[in-house]
Amino acid sequence: MSQHEEHEDHGHSVAAWTTVGILIVASAIMALAVLFPNLWLFVGGAVLALVGVVAGKVLSMAGYGAAGRPRDEAPSIH
């Protein structure tokens, strides 16, 4: 098995992209809170970061993670 085949689905999932997107926005908000000293803006960014982690875990458990299903198939509803 080649190295490319071993990591074919590494990070290519709805759960991963959603988590990373939310965490990037949260990081930007927290950076702005440091640049313009504002405690509540920083706390809001930290809360958004927690929401991103939880959203990623929930999506992964719902079958949208890399290990949950092949990338090109929709999850089945039972």
Side-chain angles (χ1 to χ4, degrees):
M1 180 178 263
S2 73
Q3 186 177 9
H4 175 69
E5 291 174 10
E6 291 175 15
H7 299 288
E8 186 175 332
D9 286 335
H10 183 72
H12 294 283
S13 69
V14 174
W17 282 102
T18 301
T19 303
V20 169
I22 294 172
L23 290 177
I24 288 173
V25 172
S27 298
I29 291 170
M30 289 188 289
L32 285 173
V34 171
L35 186 60
F36 306 107
N38 187 327
L39 177 64
W40 293 111
L41 192 59
F42 187 84
V43 170
V47 168
L48 185 59
L50 289 174
V51 168
V53 171
V54 170
K57 184 63 178 172
V58 168
L59 284 170
S60 180
M61 291 171 58
Y64 291 99
R69 64 177 172 82
R71 282 191 344 213
D72 297 326
E73 290 182 16
S76 60
I77 299 174
H78 296 274

